[in-house]
Amino acid sequence: MSQMPQQAAVSKCPSCEEPLEPGDRFCGACGYDLSVVPAPPEDSPTVVMNGAAPGPGPARDEVDWPTARDSDGQGRPAPVHAAAELPGTDSGGSPLPSQEPSAPGEPAREPGRESAQEHSSGVRLDRPAEPDEYPLQAPAPRSAPEPAAAAPAAGAGGKVCVACRAGRVDRDGYCENCGHAQPRERDHMEQESGPVAAVSDRGLRHHRNEDAFSVGCTALPDGAPATVAIVCDGVSSATRPDDASLAASRAAGESLLGALPRGTHPQQAMHDAILAASHAVNALAAEPATAREQAPHQNAPACTLVGAVVTGGLLVVGWVGDSRVYWVPADRATPPARLTEDDSWAAQMVAAGLMSEAEAYADERAHAITGWLGADAYELEPHTASFKPDRPGVVVVCTDGLWNYAESAQEMAEATPLDAAVRPLHSARVLVGHALDGGGHDNVTVALLPFPAPPQGAGSA
């Protein structure tokens, strides 16, 4: 974690604006660390832009695989069959608690109150007033946390403060010794299901994790193995983006794990899963929690979605938004490929020939998305495509929190460990670490699936 400049005397808390007394080290209302001064944020959170989403095109890298056309939208979503829910674990492998304490450094106000500015072009640019770097970071994804037993001062059964490692954490999630707010369990999540694994991290600049994922493995009617990964990124300018991504990832994952064993073709199952996720996000708009947080300038709960299904010989991808899927072959002498096309302003500029890819993605409007899941989406256009790779490799499913630091297929391949297919959880941690080392400006989520799907029971070494 980088050092920040020392703070000059202030009369009120920069986080919650609570009046301060001379000599205060922490805010008495929200626990904000007053010894540092935040700098303006440099990240550009996910935003939405009105307009039609372009259909997916061929992968930019020259890989000679047949690409199926986009799903035509025919047919209704298959009934959602809930699979056995696999609980997430922390970086030490321990089950996550069921309740979430307050986010570190979060002001004492209702969540979702983020400023947004409506432009005449229809682009909604969101610039939340967040510190440049929060004093309390999520657990490092590549190292296990120290055991609580190392700090006996907390007492038997008590939670130890992750900042001072001496104080006891009260019911409100604050340290009684130093006043630090404790990280929420969703700040860093890891899960492994057979040969597929995923890791999600809050990053270094955001006050909460608005990403979510769902991974699992199942069997087709003939007994052949199939692995599934869904990754969702909440739209920061919308209400309850974290709830939207969680609802979408769960609904899509359950839909796929229910449809594949019944014999539904993987590409159709992916299309139906995206529709199921859309219904789940739309339902949030009518909940009382949304009404309490909704403001006239905000959108309904919304998120993007990207997913992959891997079987013995088929790779199917589906997406809405700007999260991506990459193909990284085991033989790094052969070219990798990006398998999705962004629903974004930048992609539209490139497709129209108005800008080069480098120019478009360097523009501040690059991450304005033109397709998303949510009640205010004009028309849902699920994109699906199928591939038949002729060699083994690994499928990387990720949000822009990762691909911002490894945008091209070659860069993603270079960042992916050589043994990713046999150690997916370790490799997912490495990729998250790559994004954090690059600055961690956004939430980071990545799932890895080896191709072809290994027999049931195989997993990380």
Side-chain angles (χ1 to χ4, degrees):
M1 170 177 166
S2 60
Q3 296 293 324
M4 294 186 290
Q6 293 298 314
Q7 171 178 304
V10 293
S11 60
K12 59 183 179 180
C13 175
S15 176
C16 67
E17 300 188 351
E18 180 75 11
L20 302 174
E21 296 294 335
D24 281 353
R25 294 173 53 203
F26 299 93
C27 175
C30 68
Y32 191 86
D33 187 350
L34 301 175
S35 64
V36 292
V37 171
E42 299 177 5
D43 60 308
S44 298
T46 304
V47 293
V48 298
M49 179 177 76
N50 298 337
R60 291 186 177 89
D61 303 85
E62 298 181 359
V63 179
D64 188 17
W65 295 341
T67 304
R69 61 182 178 83
D70 280 352
S71 175
D72 58 8
Q74 296 180 354
R76 299 180 179 275
V80 176
H81 292 262
E85 185 173 350
L86 297 172
T89 60
D90 60 21
S91 58
S94 302
L96 295 176
S98 58
Q99 296 183 350
E100 293 186 351
S102 301
E106 186 172 355
R109 59 183 176 84
E110 290 185 0
R113 299 288 186 183
E114 298 175 344
S115 61
Q117 181 178 1
E118 189 76 29
H119 291 258
S120 59
S121 64
V123 180
R124 185 177 291 275
L125 295 177
D126 176 40
R127 292 294 183 269
E130 297 183 359
D132 180 64
E133 184 169 331
Y134 283 82
L136 183 61
Q137 299 303 328
R142 289 169 290 183
S143 62
E146 296 181 19
K159 293 183 64 178
V160 182
C161 174
V162 299
C164 69
R165 298 199 178 274
R168 187 175 66 87
V169 178
D170 61 23
R171 292 184 177 180
D172 295 328
Y174 291 87
C175 175
E176 295 181 346
N177 178 54
C178 67
H180 267 289
Q182 303 302 293
R184 299 187 301 182
E185 280 74 12
R186 193 166 166 180
D187 283 352
H188 185 85
M189 301 179 293
E190 298 184 358
Q191 185 173 319
E192 187 174 29
S193 178
V196 58
V199 175
S200 182
D201 193 89
R202 176 170 62 93
L204 304 180
R205 304 298 178 94
H206 281 274
H207 71 287
R208 66 179 175 185
N209 190 357
E210 296 173 355
D211 289 356
F213 64 80
S214 175
V215 295
C217 53
T218 185
L220 303 180
D222 62 0
T227 56
V228 170
I230 297 291
V231 169
C232 296
D233 184 357
V235 176
S236 297
S237 59
T239 304
R240 301 171 62 192
D242 51 339
D243 291 340
S245 62
L246 185 62
S249 62
R250 286 179 173 175
E254 290 172 356
S255 178
L256 283 170
L257 293 175
L260 293 173
R262 296 198 307 267
T264 305
H265 189 279
Q267 189 166 357
Q268 182 62 47
M270 178 62 74
H271 177 270
D272 295 344
I274 296 175
L275 296 182
S278 176
H279 296 328
V281 177
N282 292 350
L284 295 178
E287 291 185 359
T290 300
R292 288 196 300 270
E293 298 179 15
Q294 188 76 19
H297 63 274
Q298 289 182 315
N299 301 314
C303 68
T304 67
L305 180 148
V306 66
V309 175
V310 171
T311 66
L314 187 67
L315 164 58
V316 172
V317 300
W319 73 97
V320 174
D322 63 348
S323 294
R324 295 179 176 179
V325 178
Y326 292 84
W327 161 255
V328 179
D331 180 4
R332 299 302 170 86
T334 58
R338 197 180 104 195
L339 306 183
T340 58
E341 292 291 333
D342 299 343
D343 290 326
S344 69
W345 178 91
Q348 284 192 335
M349 294 299 102
V350 174
L354 300 177
M355 287 184 173
S356 68
E357 186 170 3
E359 293 172 336
Y361 281 99
D363 193 282
E364 64 178 6
R365 296 165 290 181
H367 288 268
I369 57 174
T370 59
W372 65 92
L373 304 181
D376 61 352
Y378 287 103
E379 184 177 355
L380 177 62
E381 295 186 42
H383 309 302
T384 63
S386 62
F387 304 90
K388 291 184 177 180
D390 59 357
R391 64 204 66 191
V394 66
V395 181
V396 180
V397 185
C398 65
T399 62
D400 58 349
L402 172 59
W403 66 253
N404 276 333
Y405 301 98
E407 187 171 334
S408 70
Q410 187 59 44
E411 290 173 326
M412 185 63 71
E414 292 172 356
T416 303
L418 294 174
D419 59 352
V422 295
R423 299 181 67 195
L425 181 58
H426 165 78
S427 300
R429 291 170 179 163
V430 171
L431 287 173
V432 169
H434 177 79
L436 298 183
D437 291 343
H441 286 197
D442 201 354
N443 306 145
V444 188
T445 301
V446 57
L448 295 180
L449 306 87
F451 181 91
Q456 293 287 351
S460 293

